[in-house]
């Protein structure tokens, strides 16, 4: 239908892959392991030949090289010459084994288009074949040349490809000369990432003033050294439009966070900083404390420290700093960051500082995720979480709270229920894997009869399942409580 040409939808019955054509869009879902059979692949080629779609997604249809993609790109080039091209805006060829000929034809299609009209180019995991780097380089060079005068490219995804040597140089040239509207660049799991080369391309060209999101997460196969540290600092200081930097799982430590990352953040940028799965430890919590107190990171609006092993001491330092300093922080993620020690006072201090931040400070915090790990006892607050609920009843800022995985039991559930009975701000609550039984569910249901703000309460399915095993006779009681909770949510929604 639409601009997809005269072909209808069809697919490979034995492979599970599906070709869809709708509203000038053609997409293929190759599944996790299987791809199109020959008949369905030919159908795809003919569909594109009939009328080049504005959106073409052919991700994962040639993971093991069973389909040569060059016929498809040959059709694209031909469509330019025959006048059937409608101006493609989305092209996704991710997760395919690409031959040199396929790369050559893709580059030819891009180079023949005059001005590059594709808004989203997704080429993740296409350099798996030997010598594929030369093909990736050729495509990036074509994009840079075609977009030199005018480019519509807003999103570029190159994750899973080694960004080094000629590939890194071609990407830098693209960023420098043809990225006047590029707002998102994703370079995840690259194995090798020449970050300095990429950042120089951003800062020396048009991307510096328009790039909003850079994702370099999961590049944990290489150690970030001084050149990479300098590149990150320069990026944060000079990329004027940057709003979200994702350096999750990149071997950052607390010292680098404190000495390099935080001091470089521009004072006037509304920054979302994702640092999850880096072992920054207690020094990371202290680094944030120092930066906030000295007004270096007042502009951070979202801070993701999930799985950073802050420990109780680090959480206490982090929250104390955020409570003291002037900050715009609206979203804080510290899942699996508590880690108890032999000192009970450290745990109490962490909960006390967290309570002071959320309930008693000027910090405009709206979203707090502070899960424990149900499989790691030291990350669970258990009933030490109860003091946190004391201030929740009068809290007027917090809109979303996730306290899953802390094994707080019915004592925690009763304390939470007392807070919810008074709270008129919280709109979303997640609290599974807390060992809550019928008593706790009943208390929550009764509390929500007096609550007018909570609209989203994820059913604690794992806790219900645990009760089904240990006390199946209580399941009707829990079902009735959950029904009451749902009625309360519906009332609040209306």
């Amino acid at each position: 239908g639409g601009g997809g040409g005269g072909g209808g939808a069809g697919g490979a019955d034995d492979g599970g892959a599906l070709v869809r054509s709708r509203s000038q869009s053609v997409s293929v879902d190759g599944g996790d392991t299987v791809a199109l059979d020959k008949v369905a692949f030919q159908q795809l080629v003919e569909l594109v030949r009939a009328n080049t779609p504005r959106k073409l997604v052919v991700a994962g249809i040639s993971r093991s090289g069973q389909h040569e993609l060059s016929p498809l790109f040959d059709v694209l080039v031909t469509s330019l010459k025959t006048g059937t091209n409608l101006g493609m805006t989305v092209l996704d060829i991710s997760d395919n084994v690409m031959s040199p000929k396929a790369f050559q034809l893709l580059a030819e299609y891009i180079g023949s288009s005059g001005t590059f009209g594709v808004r989203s180019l997704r080429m993740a995991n296409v350099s798996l074949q030997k010598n594929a780097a030369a093909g990736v380089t050729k495509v990036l060079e074509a994009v840079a040349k075609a977009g030199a005068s005018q480019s519509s490219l807003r999103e570029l995804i190159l994750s899973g490809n080694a960004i080094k040597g000629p590939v890194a140089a071609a990407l830098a040239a693209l960023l420098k000369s043809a990225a006047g509207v590029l707002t998102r660049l994703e370079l995840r799991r690259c194995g090798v990432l020449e970050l300095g080369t990429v950042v120089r391309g951003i800062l020396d060209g048009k991307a510096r003033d328009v790039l909003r999101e850079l994702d370099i997460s999961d590049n944990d196969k290489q150690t970030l050294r001084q050149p990479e540290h300098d590149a990150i600092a320069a990026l944060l200081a000079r990329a004027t439009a940057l709003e979200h930097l994702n350096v999750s799982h990149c071997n950052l430590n607390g010292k680098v966070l404190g000495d390099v990352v935080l001091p470089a953040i521009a004072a006037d940028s509304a920054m979302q900083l994702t640092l999850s799965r880096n072992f920054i430890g207690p020094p990371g919590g202290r680094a944030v404390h120092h930066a906030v107190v000295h007004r270096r990171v007042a502009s951070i609006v979202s801070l993701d420290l999930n799985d950073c092993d802050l420990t109780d001491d680090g959480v206490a330092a982090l929250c104390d700093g955020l409570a003291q300093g002037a900050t715009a922080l609206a979203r804080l993620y510290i899942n699996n960051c508590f880690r108890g020690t032999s000192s009970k006072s450290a745990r109490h201090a962490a909960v006390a500082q967290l309570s002071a931040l959320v309930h008693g400070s000027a910090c405009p915090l709206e979203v707090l995720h502070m899960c424990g790990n149900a499989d790691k006892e030291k990350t669970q607050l258990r009933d030490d979480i109860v003091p946190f609920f004391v201030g929740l009843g009068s809290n007027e800022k917090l809109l979303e709270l996730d306290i899953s995985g802390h094994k707080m039991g019915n004592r925690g559930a009763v304390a939470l229920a007392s807070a919810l009975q008074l709270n008129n701000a919280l709109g979303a609550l997640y609290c599974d894997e807390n060992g809550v039984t019928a008593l706790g569910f009943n208390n929550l249901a009764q509390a929500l009869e007096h609550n007018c703000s909570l609209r989203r309460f994820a059913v604690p399915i794992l806790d219900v399942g645990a009760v089904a095993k240990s006390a199946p006779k209580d399941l009707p009681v829990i079902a009735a409580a959950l029904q009451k909770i749902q009625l309360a949510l519906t009332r609040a929604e209306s």
Side-chain angles (χ1 to χ4, degrees):
D13 294 334
D14 57 340
L18 179 66
V19 181
R20 294 186 296 272
S21 171
R22 184 181 63 186
S23 302
Q24 299 180 344
S25 173
V26 176
S27 61
V28 179
D29 178 5
D32 293 331
T33 57
V34 295
L36 299 178
D37 63 12
K38 290 182 179 180
V39 174
F41 182 72
Q42 186 59 39
Q43 179 194 34
L44 170 64
V45 171
E46 295 303 323
L47 190 61
V48 174
R49 191 193 307 277
N51 199 347
T52 305
R54 292 187 182 276
K55 179 178 180 181
L56 177 62
V57 178
V58 287
I61 67 171
S62 184
R63 282 185 174 87
S64 59
Q66 60 266 59
H67 294 308
E68 168 56 60
L69 294 188
S70 54
L72 185 60
F73 296 122
D74 193 16
V75 170
L76 295 178
V77 175
T78 303
S79 71
L80 289 170
K81 299 173 182 177
T82 59
T84 58
N85 182 271
L86 295 177
M88 189 179 299
T89 58
V90 176
L91 176 58
D92 187 347
I93 58 170
S94 299
D95 301 312
N96 285 300
V97 175
M98 302 276 288
S99 72
K101 184 180 180 182
F103 279 118
Q104 174 62 39
L105 286 169
L106 177 58
E108 184 180 342
Y109 166 71
I110 292 170
S112 302
S113 61
T115 58
F116 189 52
V118 171
R119 296 181 180 181
S120 176
L121 178 59
R122 307 164 190 171
M123 293 175 50
N125 301 305
V126 295
S127 65
L128 302 177
Q129 196 173 20
K130 189 177 181 180
N131 300 323
V136 175
T137 301
K138 190 171 293 186
V139 171
L140 293 178
E141 290 173 344
V143 173
K145 184 177 180 180
S149 58
Q150 180 181 354
S151 176
S152 300
L153 189 63
R154 288 172 169 79
E155 179 184 58
L156 179 60
I157 298 177
L158 295 170
S159 298
N161 303 300
I163 308 298
K164 62 179 181 177
V167 175
L171 175 57
L174 186 160
L175 294 169
K176 184 177 180 180
S177 64
V181 292
L182 184 70
T183 59
R184 184 171 188 269
L185 176 61
E186 182 184 298
L187 303 171
R188 302 178 60 227
R189 300 186 311 275
C190 291
V192 178
L193 172 60
E194 293 182 3
L195 188 59
T197 303
V198 174
V199 170
R200 280 194 297 274
I202 294 172
L203 298 181
D204 290 346
K206 301 174 182 178
R208 178 189 62 193
D209 299 321
V210 295
L211 188 67
R212 294 181 181 177
E213 180 180 354
L214 176 62
D215 186 346
I216 58 171
S217 61
D218 295 312
N219 282 296
D220 60 314
K221 300 302 181 183
Q222 65 185 68
T223 300
L224 299 183
R225 304 187 187 281
Q226 193 61 47
E228 288 77 27
H229 298 167
D230 293 343
I232 292 174
L235 180 75
L236 288 169
R238 296 176 52 201
T240 57
L242 192 64
E243 296 176 350
H244 186 189
L245 176 62
N246 188 342
V247 287
S248 171
H249 203 204
C250 284
N251 291 322
L252 284 178
N253 57 42
K255 179 174 174 55
V256 173
L257 177 63
D259 294 348
V260 177
V261 177
L262 297 177
I265 296 176
D268 58 348
S269 63
M271 176 65 67
Q272 302 175 54
L273 188 58
T274 302
L275 299 164
S276 58
R277 294 183 295 147
N278 287 300
F279 185 73
I280 65 172
R286 292 191 289 270
V288 176
H289 177 282
H290 183 269
V292 173
V293 170
H294 290 82
R295 299 181 180 275
R296 291 181 177 175
V297 290
S299 59
I300 293 182
V301 296
S302 177
L303 182 59
D304 184 345
L305 296 169
N306 289 340
D307 299 292
C308 283
D309 202 27
L310 294 179
T311 75
D312 295 348
D313 289 335
V315 170
L318 167 75
C319 295
D320 182 47
L322 292 173
Q324 286 188 47
T327 175
L329 190 69
R331 299 182 295 279
L332 177 63
Y333 305 91
I334 52 172
N335 294 333
N336 304 322
C337 278
F338 291 95
R339 179 160 60 80
T341 63
S342 57
S343 171
K344 196 72 172 177
S345 60
R347 172 59 51 88
H348 292 163
V351 175
Q353 295 292 356
L354 180 63
S355 298
L357 166 65
V358 178
H359 308 314
S361 76
C363 179
L365 195 65
E366 295 180 348
V367 176
L368 174 62
H369 288 208
M370 48 175 284
C371 298
N373 188 324
D375 296 323
K376 295 183 179 179
E377 185 175 344
K378 287 188 176 181
T379 70
Q380 302 163 10
L381 293 178
R382 296 187 174 261
D383 58 9
D384 286 331
I385 199 174
V386 169
F388 175 79
F389 296 138
V390 173
L392 184 62
S394 58
N395 187 296
E396 298 179 351
K397 297 178 294 184
L398 198 64
L399 304 179
E400 180 176 310
L401 177 64
D402 191 342
I403 51 171
S404 302
H406 281 297
K407 300 294 184 182
M408 65 181 183
N410 287 333
R411 184 185 175 198
V414 170
L416 174 61
S418 297
L420 292 176
Q421 191 167 351
L422 302 173
N423 183 281
N424 288 311
L426 195 67
L429 175 64
Y430 307 90
C431 59
D432 204 353
E433 294 187 283
N434 272 303
V436 177
T437 63
L439 174 64
F441 281 113
N442 265 335
N443 273 266
L444 290 170
Q446 292 169 12
L448 290 181
E449 291 179 357
H450 305 279
N451 181 290
C452 299
S453 65
L454 197 69
R455 293 174 174 82
R456 187 183 309 153
F457 177 82
V459 175
I461 191 69
L462 295 176
D463 281 346
V464 174
V467 172
K469 291 182 178 180
S470 63
K473 67 180 187 306
D474 289 342
L475 284 179
V477 177
I478 293 178
L482 291 175
Q483 187 174 21
K484 289 181 181 178
I485 290 174
Q486 185 57 52
L487 289 173
L489 299 179
T490 303
R491 186 186 66 249
E493 188 68 44
S494 61

